[in-house]
Amino acid sequence: MGFGNCNLPFSHYSALSSTSRGTMNGTIWSKAYHIAMIAWYTFLFTILLLVNPDDLPDGLFLYGGPWKYLTFLNLVLQMVFFGFAVVVDLQHLFVKGKDFKRLNLYKDLLYSVMAFPVGAFVVAIFWIIFTYDRELVYPNSIDELFPPWLNHSMHTIVLPLLLLESLLQPHAYPKRKNGLAILGLISVAYVSWVCWIYFAVGIWVYPLLGKLSPLGLAALFSVSVGLVISLFLLGEALNSYVWGEYKMKRK
């Protein structure tokens, strides 16, 4: 079932009232925030792309480039989301007399199912492993290439920025089973990519993976999927708690 006249895949969306959604989408604060965020993530993305492959420290390898690391993929994801949010914020300046519910729903789908759970997962899993043994996920040699502020930009600041987005603007969540289905497909796709790289070059993307047995790998991947699903549900609960007065009703 679509939203209004919009039939979206995996939809069955709930709707904010047009008044409440229009008010929140139009706030100066949220617009300014989205513009600042697209500038910030574009800046980080550019820095990482400009890294000279010859300067890569031990523990990093060329195959797959930065696109094999979930941290980098997450930065791209955040950049895409906030860029899309800017487009949604400014759409009425360029096209008059149109109904933009479809764009709003795609933006909310991107945030609820990808940007928030994946971004929060990157922060959580990185610091859990880093605290236990940083050599398993972020070897000391990387400090020569990436200063501490860049490490925190990639692995810490992401979460508070997402939380601020949740506080600034409500987001329509898809029907739970559909959201989890999309998130599951994304998880399987990334795990498959990591395994493909291992079979192609004989090196695991993350040192931790090389220390685990096949059973241990299966357990780690299962726990990771469970964690990212929990973070999706957390984002849904947070959105409902903060924006209770604009509670979305599934049709």
Side-chain angles (χ1 to χ4, degrees):
M1 182 180 297
F3 175 78
N5 295 322
C6 301
N7 295 313
L8 301 178
F10 298 102
S11 63
H12 211 110
Y13 265 83
S14 49
L16 293 175
S17 70
S18 58
T19 301
S20 62
R21 174 167 284 284
T23 298
M24 291 311 303
N25 278 340
T27 60
I28 294 177
W29 286 113
S30 61
K31 288 182 179 180
Y33 182 69
H34 292 156
I35 292 172
M37 289 301 97
I38 183 60
W40 169 246
Y41 281 113
T42 300
F43 168 68
L44 294 178
F45 174 76
T46 303
I47 287 179
L48 295 179
L49 276 189
L50 292 178
V51 171
N52 187 339
D54 294 333
D55 296 333
L56 292 178
D58 295 337
L60 300 182
F61 56 96
L62 292 177
Y63 189 88
W67 302 94
K68 60 181 172 287
Y69 297 110
L70 188 57
T71 292
F72 181 79
L73 294 175
N74 177 57
L75 292 180
V76 174
L77 173 59
Q78 303 302 322
M79 182 175 65
V80 169
F81 165 71
F82 283 109
F84 197 80
V86 169
V87 171
V88 171
D89 288 340
L90 303 181
Q91 59 194 341
H92 296 290
L93 296 179
F94 302 102
V95 182
K96 305 295 183 180
K98 292 279 188 177
D99 187 343
F100 296 102
K101 291 177 182 177
R102 181 183 293 270
L103 283 181
N104 280 314
L105 290 180
Y106 276 130
K107 183 199 74 172
D108 286 346
L109 180 66
L110 185 59
Y111 180 79
S112 62
V113 178
M114 297 180 68
F116 185 89
V118 173
F121 174 81
V122 166
V123 175
I125 198 69
F126 175 83
W127 286 111
I128 289 171
I129 299 175
F130 187 97
T131 300
Y132 175 72
D133 182 357
R134 68 167 295 173
E135 294 299 317
L136 296 176
V137 66
Y138 197 83
N140 277 293
S141 59
I142 298 181
D143 288 342
E144 301 173 7
L145 185 63
F146 300 141
W149 73 264
L150 187 54
N151 178 24
H152 286 291
S153 297
M154 297 185 293
H155 299 118
T156 306
I157 299 176
V158 173
L159 182 54
L161 293 180
L162 286 169
L163 292 174
L164 186 53
E165 167 66 18
S166 294
L167 295 176
L168 282 174
Q169 196 170 66
H171 298 87
Y173 271 69
K175 189 174 182 180
R176 186 172 295 170
K177 67 178 182 180
N178 293 335
L180 294 178
I182 298 174
L183 194 55
L185 288 175
I186 295 169
S187 300
V188 169
Y190 182 68
V191 170
S192 299
W193 172 228
V194 169
C195 291
W196 170 269
I197 292 173
Y198 174 73
F199 291 126
V201 298
I203 304 174
W204 285 108
V205 173
Y206 306 103
L208 170 63
L209 302 181
K211 297 182 179 297
L212 299 176
S213 65
L215 183 60
L217 287 172
L220 177 63
F221 290 146
S222 297
V223 169
S224 297
V225 172
L227 177 57
V228 77
I229 287 174
S230 297
L231 291 168
F232 166 78
L233 298 176
L234 176 63
E236 182 185 48
L238 176 63
N239 185 73
S240 177
Y241 176 77
V242 173
W243 300 102
E245 61 181 300
Y246 301 118
K247 188 174 182 180
M248 287 148 289
K249 300 177 181 177
R250 297 187 180 95
K251 295 185 178 181

